[in-house]
Amino acid sequence: MADDPAIATVELPIVEVTVQEDRALVRREGAITLPPGRSRVRVEGVAPVLVDKSLTATVRGDEAEGPAAEVLGVKATRWRVTEDRQRPQALAELLVRRRALEAEQRAQERRRIFVDGEHHMAKQMHAATLDELAEDTAWDQADLARAQATLDTWAQRTAALADEVCEILADRSRTDRELADVHQLAAVAQRVEAHATAALELELRQPGPEPRAVQVRVDYLVPGALWRPWHRAHLQRGEAGDVVRLECEGCVWQATGEDWSDARIVLSTERPSLGLSPPELHTDRLALRKRGPAVQVQAREQQIHHAGLGGEAEGGSREAEQLPGIDDGGEAQRLVARAPATVAGDGRPHRVPLFELSAPAEVGLLCLPELAPVVLLRSEQTNGGSQPLLAGPVDLVRDSGLVGRTSILYVAPGERFELGWGPDPALRVTRELELLDEERKALRSWTRKPRRVEIKLSNLEPTPRQIKVRERIAVSEIDEVKVELQQARPQATPDADGIVEWDVRLRGFDHEHLVLEWALVVHDDVRGI
């Protein structure tokens, strides 16, 4: 694209980028000097995918010098740039080379056919000489010296022609490979490979009589950019107490066609694309139905989880919501990076540091044998910062380095949350579930379905361990199904969610045996379990 001499090219670096869940707002700003009257300037290297209707430009100047310049118009121009290696001159040279190789290939094929025929004729003459010698020997008329000379001549001729055929085939193979390479290079050269680029053209008017320095700011929206929360947790254990240091980062991806170099990165959870259209309303018809003699029930697995463990935050724990994108607790968050960052437009993830916090932690061992036969190291801590922790993955780091990865849900300021740090290698767990025989008394309409759970813990090290073990029993929501706890050894009582918890202390090289027996009492009218 030829430069227009009437347009001056200026530099407006990217100073700030506000990244949302599926787009980004780019701000360019810089100082330029405008001559009196109208002038046109161009800013190159902008994203070709920018949204034209979002393009805005403003000019600021020193008020003491009079009115600032006026923006008469701003637009984006786009074009495609072809790579240098696809120029026609290189393609012409490849075509000439291809024609020469094709001619050489045809000549080698003709030579191979001729030499192959000569070789076949020499072999026939050698065989005919042998037949003639055999016939002359039978009639006692053979001239052995003459026959020997003739046979040697044809044998040498046959061997020479065979060697020549091998050489021709080797040359033909090299020509075929070289021709295949030229075909591939020509195909690449004929394909038009180009990349799109764009520039901004601004038309400005400066009313003053002298050249004046002004600040020009351009804002535009680009797709192809997004971010998600990412955290890194460090567990520091010591005699003074255990501390968890949490580094909160934003993982940014962008493939807009421009690089954000040393820009102020702002990460936002606003969703401007939502709420543009009202939800569709469907008719919900209600009807009465006579209750049958049987009660249809269904056993289901209910996952009990909360965004936090409660604390000083209002409302205590909050049930986790299934939201698309980033869970911000219903309130838009605006997080600013601690330092200017560079995010290349290559579509790869780039981490941007946001903030850090350290909190005292209560570290202990937790065993959930129904989910996994291991004992996990768990920490409970409080979000003591002024900002919430957004839902996202967490890299777990201990003294030995990275030990794994987990995730957290939305944690409000002042709310407690927990992290799992992987299994303890010195502890072994086994769990056995036994369904006992059903019990039914005469003249009764109830059936008992007992079951027994045995949990065995073993410590393979001399260091004693304190373990919290959690097992569960069923919870009924109707009167026709009851749950009875028969035995919990050691003694324990389930909570409202059916969770039975034991605090077990294992001495060095010791083991422990836990037993839980409970029954499901079902009425005869119940169907489904």
Side-chain angles (χ1 to χ4, degrees):
M1 180 178 178
D3 292 339
D4 189 345
I7 301 179
T9 301
V10 298
E11 292 289 337
L12 288 184
I14 297 176
V15 296
E16 181 179 297
V17 180
T18 302
V19 187
Q20 298 174 351
E21 291 189 7
D22 58 353
R23 67 198 68 191
L25 179 62
V26 180
R27 173 170 296 176
R28 290 175 174 266
E29 188 172 355
I32 62 175
T33 301
L34 294 179
R38 292 193 177 190
S39 58
R40 298 173 63 191
V41 298
R42 180 168 61 206
V43 181
E44 297 182 346
V46 301
V49 297
L50 69 89
V51 182
D52 293 79
K53 64 181 181 180
S54 67
L55 186 60
T56 60
T58 57
V59 178
R60 293 183 294 106
D62 190 355
E63 297 181 357
E65 299 179 4
E70 180 184 1
V71 179
L72 301 180
V74 57
K75 67 177 182 178
T77 58
R78 301 172 176 85
W79 67 94
R80 302 188 70 85
V81 177
T82 306
E83 302 290 345
D84 293 338
R85 58 187 178 88
Q86 278 96 33
R87 295 307 178 189
Q89 181 180 358
L91 178 60
E93 295 175 356
L94 288 173
L95 295 179
V96 171
R97 179 60 178 162
R98 185 178 69 180
R99 287 192 291 268
L101 288 173
E102 290 175 348
E104 184 179 355
Q105 189 183 53
R106 291 192 294 269
Q108 290 172 345
E109 181 63 18
R110 291 193 297 267
R111 179 62 180 168
R112 183 195 67 79
I113 294 174
F114 175 77
V115 175
D116 198 19
E118 289 286 327
H119 179 257
H120 182 66
M121 184 186 67
K123 289 172 62 177
Q124 288 182 338
M125 293 301 297
H126 187 272
T129 302
L130 287 175
D131 293 341
E132 184 180 352
L133 177 61
E135 185 177 353
D136 291 344
T137 302
W139 292 95
D140 196 17
Q141 296 179 358
D143 186 353
L144 296 181
R146 179 174 172 274
Q148 183 65 38
T150 304
L151 289 174
D152 290 344
T153 300
W154 287 116
Q156 294 173 1
R157 178 62 176 168
T158 302
L161 290 173
D163 292 342
E164 188 174 356
V165 169
C166 292
E167 293 177 359
I168 293 174
L169 292 177
D171 293 340
R172 172 65 185 275
S173 179
R174 287 192 294 269
T175 303
D176 291 343
R177 290 195 300 268
E178 188 174 355
L179 184 60
D181 294 340
V182 171
H183 275 293
Q184 185 175 2
L185 291 175
V188 172
Q190 289 175 345
R191 186 170 63 247
V192 179
E193 292 187 0
H195 66 271
T197 185
L200 298 178
E201 295 184 2
L202 292 87
E203 186 175 358
L204 308 172
R205 185 175 66 87
Q206 203 268 103
E210 298 293 335
R212 182 179 177 186
V214 296
Q215 286 286 124
V216 179
R217 192 184 80 181
V218 178
D219 299 300
Y220 52 87
L221 198 66
V222 292
L226 73 156
W227 79 281
R228 292 296 183 268
W230 203 289
H231 312 281
R232 183 183 293 108
H234 300 257
L235 178 59
Q236 302 170 351
R237 310 200 66 178
E239 298 180 356
D242 301 325
V243 176
V244 170
R245 181 168 58 88
L246 200 64
E247 300 177 5
C248 300
E249 302 174 331
C251 195
V252 183
W253 296 262
Q254 68 105 349
T256 61
E258 64 181 2
D259 296 336
W260 304 336
S261 302
D262 294 329
R264 181 173 180 260
I265 304 297
V266 179
L267 306 179
S268 174
T269 63
E270 292 182 352
R271 300 178 177 90
S273 60
L274 298 181
L276 299 181
S277 60
E280 296 183 3
L281 300 179
H282 302 279
T283 302
D284 189 6
R285 299 185 181 277
L286 303 179
L288 296 177
R289 186 176 60 180
K290 185 177 180 180
R291 180 177 178 180
V295 179
Q296 294 291 337
V297 298
Q298 182 181 7
R300 71 177 186 273
E301 295 287 339
Q302 178 68 38
Q303 183 179 5
I304 303 171
H305 59 170
H306 300 278
L309 303 177
E312 299 177 0
E314 294 184 2
S317 59
R318 183 180 63 88
E319 293 187 0
E321 299 176 357
Q322 299 296 330
L323 295 178
I326 305 173
D327 182 6
D328 55 9
E331 181 180 356
Q333 302 292 329
R334 189 173 185 272
L335 308 175
V336 182
R338 291 188 298 178
T342 297
V343 181
D346 51 9
R348 297 183 178 182
H350 299 267
R351 295 196 185 185
V352 178
L354 298 176
F355 60 91
E356 295 183 2
L357 62 92
S358 296
E362 298 178 4
V363 181
L365 296 173
L366 176 65
C367 178
L368 305 173
E370 186 179 7
L371 300 180
V374 294
V375 178
L376 300 173
L377 182 65
R378 183 195 62 163
S379 66
E380 291 187 11
Q381 51 279 322
T382 302
N383 177 15
S386 59
Q387 294 177 324
L389 303 178
L390 301 182
V394 182
D395 293 334
L396 303 173
V397 181
R398 297 179 63 179
D399 296 336
S400 58
L402 183 67
V403 296
R405 179 175 295 166
T406 184
S407 62
I408 61 173
L409 299 176
Y410 176 87
V411 181
E415 192 169 16
R416 292 183 64 80
F417 65 100
E418 61 182 5
L419 293 173
W421 298 87
D424 192 316
L427 298 175
R428 298 292 185 268
V429 181
T430 60
R431 178 182 183 272
E432 297 179 0
L433 173 62
E434 181 182 2
L435 300 179
L436 304 179
D437 296 335
E438 296 184 1
E439 303 174 1
R440 178 182 176 85
K441 295 182 179 181
L443 303 178
R444 296 290 299 274
S445 58
W446 296 84
T447 302
R448 296 173 57 85
K449 299 180 179 181
R451 54 204 67 195
R452 176 186 177 92
V453 178
E454 294 187 9
I455 303 172
K456 298 179 182 179
L457 303 171
S458 300
N459 186 4
L460 305 183
E461 287 187 354
T463 306
R465 305 295 176 90
Q466 188 75 26
I467 308 172
K468 184 173 293 186
V469 183
R470 290 178 182 173
E471 184 60 42
R472 67 168 181 169
I473 64 175
V475 176
S476 175
E477 297 178 348
I478 60 175
D479 296 335
E480 287 79 4
V481 178
K482 300 179 180 180
V483 179
E484 295 181 356
L485 178 62
Q486 297 176 323
Q487 180 185 193
R489 192 172 66 241
Q491 182 64 34
T493 304
D495 59 11
D497 295 322
I499 303 299
V500 181
E501 185 174 294
W502 293 279
D503 286 327
V504 179
R505 177 175 175 80
L506 278 180
R507 297 189 299 271
F509 304 110
D510 194 7
H511 63 275
E512 183 66 37
H513 185 197
L514 308 178
V515 178
L516 181 64
E517 293 183 2
W518 59 279
L520 201 63
V521 184
V522 182
H523 196 272
D524 292 345
D525 294 338
V526 173
R527 301 290 185 270
I529 58 174

